[in-house]
């Protein structure tokens, strides 16, 4: 089945303090209707405190096939990895 309506990606935050996670996709004519459909489809048991809907055409993603070259520049920035810091005595973890 094909739809003439735009595809929306739905992100739900289950509780305060947690991040939004991708819940799924749906077709809707506009953002307001996408929010209503997302609420009905993905939070039927009141398991969400916030919903984001994003037009699928507005999402830009990296390709898994290019992961080595895309993420490789981060490996040479050792200051991003706190492996060379010493923990003060009495501190088990930070």
């Amino acid at each position: 089945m094909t739809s003439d309506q735009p595809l929306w990606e739905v992100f739900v935050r289950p509780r305060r303090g947690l991040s939004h996670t991708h819940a799924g996709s749906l077709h809707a004519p506009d953002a307001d209707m996408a929010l209503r459909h997302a609420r009905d489809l993905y939070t039927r048991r009141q398991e969400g405190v916030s919903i984001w809907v994003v037009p699928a055409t507005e999402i830009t993603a990296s390709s898994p096939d290019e992961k080595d070259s895309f993420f490789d520049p981060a490996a040479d920035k050792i200051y991003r990895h706190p492996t060379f810091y010493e923990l003060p005595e009495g501190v088990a973890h930070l």
Side-chain angles (χ1 to χ4, degrees), residues 85-94:
Y85 293 110
E86 292 183 24
L87 292 176
E89 191 174 319
V91 176
H93 55 76
L94 293 175

Side-chain angles (χ1 to χ4, degrees), residues 10 26-44 51 53:
V10 179
L26 55 82
H27 289 276
D30 57 39
D32 289 334
M33 198 57 126
L35 271 174
R36 291 172 189 260
H37 288 329
R39 178 198 60 205
D40 295 344
L41 286 170
Y42 298 108
T43 63
R44 286 181 279 188
I51 300 172
V53 291

Side-chain angles (χ1 to χ4, degrees), residues 11-28:
F11 299 85
V12 176
R13 183 171 67 172
R15 291 192 312 268
R16 290 190 183 277
L18 296 179
S19 300
H20 285 79
T21 57
H22 186 253
S25 306
L26 55 82
H27 289 276

Side-chain angles (χ1 to χ4, degrees), residues 20-89:
H20 285 79
T21 57
H22 186 253
S25 306
L26 55 82
H27 289 276
D30 57 39
D32 289 334
M33 198 57 126
L35 271 174
R36 291 172 189 260
H37 288 329
R39 178 198 60 205
D40 295 344
L41 286 170
Y42 298 108
T43 63
R44 286 181 279 188
R45 294 179 192 97
Q46 298 178 344
E47 59 268 16
V49 296
S50 175
I51 300 172
W52 291 346
V53 291
V54 181
T57 56
E58 295 298 315
I59 295 176
T60 305
S62 64
S63 169
D65 297 334
E66 299 171 353
K67 73 176 177 79
D68 292 334
S69 63
F70 188 76
F71 292 105
D72 188 41
D76 65 350
K77 296 179 176 87
I78 62 167
Y79 57 85
R80 292 185 176 179
H81 307 285
T83 55
F84 55 89
Y85 293 110
E86 292 183 24
L87 292 176
E89 191 174 319

